[in-house]
Amino acid sequence: MAKAFKYGLKGITGFLEPAERELLRSLIHDVISMLQPEERTHQDPLAAMIGLDMDVQEPTDRAVRRLLPNVMKNDDGASLEFRQLTERSLRETKIGALRAAALDLDKDEILLTPEGARHWSMALNDVRLVLAERLDIRDEEDAEHVHLMQDWSQAEDVESYLALVYNFATWLQESLVQAMLQSLDTRA
Amino acid sequence: MTLSVALGPDTQEGTRTGTEASTDSLTAPDIPWNLVIWNDPVNLMSYVSYVFQSYFGFSESKANKLMMEVHKKGRSIVAHGSKEQVERHAVAMHGFGLWATVEKATGGQGGSGKTGGSGQGKGKRG
């Protein structure tokens, strides 16, 4: 069984079983593959170098749209313009955090620097956002319903399995964030 | 947001350093753009509070107040500033996975919840 993250003298530490690390690694890689920017053959190399993407569109996949939301609520044109300037680097920021977390999964004892912890919290959050879309969590009631699934012997179908995985990721993120809040308190 | 365990009492008013908070120098009361954070059923309450504390440099009590406003009213204005400033914050919030939008302060976007500014978005320097 995984151990909750803890804040102590060494920093933030955690422990995951090999199967749990394997699970997290595959979830992280799924999210990374969703976030990889499309290769464009005709792209202006200078624009690409400074992170512009003039051909970008609002994502069609709900989960990707949740990871890369519109910046304005009621102005799709302005949101798209903003995407052209920022989406590529946002994708890279997210992929960077996910990759950093995946690297830490090579050992079962996890020791995190403040920056590593931030990367982990971002990565776990993105994993949860994607799982939540797959589970159709639209409101707090849906979330509570999913939260009731805690027993691995109940995993009978894809949905119940996903719910258990989501709850595991939630538990792990919550313990990590509590440790991070403690480390903020100590530093202050 | 998803309920998480209760957070401790506020004893750390205004002592944290927001490394990226950039609205410190703004003093005009009615700078015309707002950064809005929206409620969603996935983000942990503790995580939202952590992001507000670590990114904006808000005290624990201010971060929790704004977080609860997001949770209960569906949205909260957490910073004001120029369009460029609030857009930069929005990208940072998207990086953390929070659902953030920008809007004109007087634009009548018709969102639910309050439109007044409870958060001045001033990152406190510790």
Side-chain angles (χ1 to χ4, degrees):
Chain A
M1 266 297 278
K3 289 183 195 148
F5 281 103
K6 263 192 266 181
Y7 176 64
L9 287 176
K10 284 191 287 182
I12 292 174
T13 52
F15 173 86
L16 293 166
E17 299 285 352
E20 293 162 337
R21 287 187 280 133
E22 200 44 55
L23 171 65
L24 281 175
R25 198 178 284 125
S26 85
L27 291 168
I28 286 172
H29 284 135
D30 283 349
V31 180
I32 290 175
S33 68
M34 293 167 67
L35 286 168
Q36 294 286 15
E38 255 176 73
E39 290 297 331
R40 302 195 205 284
T41 45
H42 59 282
Q43 205 186 9
D44 178 348
L46 179 64
M49 201 168 76
I50 57 174
L52 298 183
D53 185 357
M54 303 320 277
D55 299 323
V56 74
Q57 293 298 322
E58 188 179 324
T60 46
D61 183 293
R62 284 190 77 109
V64 181
R65 210 156 60 216
R66 179 59 189 84
L67 295 176
L68 309 166
N70 276 346
V71 78
M72 287 194 203
K73 193 94 173 157
N74 300 316
D75 190 339
D76 291 349
S79 292
L80 187 62
E81 217 171 282
F82 190 70
R83 254 177 216 288
Q84 294 171 343
L85 305 177
T86 59
E87 193 189 282
R88 188 167 281 260
S89 80
L90 178 58
R91 283 175 186 265
E92 279 161 11
T93 303
K94 285 180 175 287
I95 289 171
L98 288 156
R99 287 220 173 104
L103 275 180
D104 289 326
L105 287 169
D106 289 343
K107 292 189 214 138
D108 40 35
E109 293 269 9
I110 299 164
L111 172 61
L112 299 174
T113 61
E115 204 196 359
R118 193 168 52 84
H119 286 149
W120 262 80
S121 68
M122 292 163 89
L124 285 173
N125 207 68
D126 282 350
V127 162
R128 291 180 59 244
L129 286 171
V130 170
L131 289 170
E133 283 301 332
R134 303 292 180 244
L135 283 162
D136 244 355
I137 298 177
R138 298 273 168 262
D139 54 32
E140 320 268 335
E141 211 176 300
D142 297 338
E144 268 167 46
H145 178 73
V146 166
H147 191 68
L148 292 176
M149 281 290 294
Q150 295 287 353
D151 181 358
W152 283 89
S153 67
Q154 291 174 283
E156 290 155 348
D157 50 24
V158 175
E159 207 201 328
S160 54
Y161 176 75
L162 277 182
L164 287 158
V165 170
Y166 176 82
N167 289 335
F168 170 67
T170 303
W171 171 81
L172 197 61
Q173 191 195 12
E174 178 63 37
S175 88
L176 175 61
V177 173
Q178 290 302 333
M180 291 164 81
L181 285 166
Q182 262 185 44
S183 78
L184 278 185
D185 277 341
T186 312
R187 219 173 37 186
Chain B
M1 275 178 280
T2 288
L3 181 68
S4 49
V5 308
L7 294 150
D10 173 44
T11 51
Q12 309 291 340
E13 182 72 39
T15 50
R16 288 183 188 123
T17 305
T19 50
E20 291 171 79
S22 58
T23 52
D24 301 37
S25 59
L26 298 173
T27 49
D30 52 358
I31 294 160
W33 285 80
N34 292 332
L35 175 73
V36 182
I37 303 294
W38 298 84
N39 191 33
D40 75 61
V42 179
N43 284 334
L44 295 168
M45 295 167 88
S46 55
Y47 182 62
V48 174
S49 178
Y50 164 78
V51 170
F52 289 174
Q53 291 177 52
S54 67
Y55 175 80
F56 292 106
F58 292 158
S59 67
E60 185 179 335
S61 68
K62 180 170 181 178
N64 286 343
K65 182 173 161 280
L66 291 171
M67 177 274 287
M68 285 312 293
E69 196 170 279
V70 174
H71 183 57
K72 288 190 171 149
K73 297 185 178 166
R75 52 170 263 163
S76 174
I77 293 165
V78 301
H80 306 285
S82 68
K83 186 159 182 269
E84 290 69 28
Q85 283 167 325
V86 294
E87 282 177 346
R88 199 163 57 239
H89 293 326
V91 173
M93 293 299 107
H94 293 169
F96 281 108
L98 269 55
W99 182 17
T101 60
V102 302
E103 63 182 31
K104 267 189 194 148
T106 52
Q109 293 261 340
S112 60
K114 64 186 288 182
T115 51
S118 68
Q120 282 292 324
K122 286 181 185 168
K124 288 170 184 152
R125 293 220 161 112

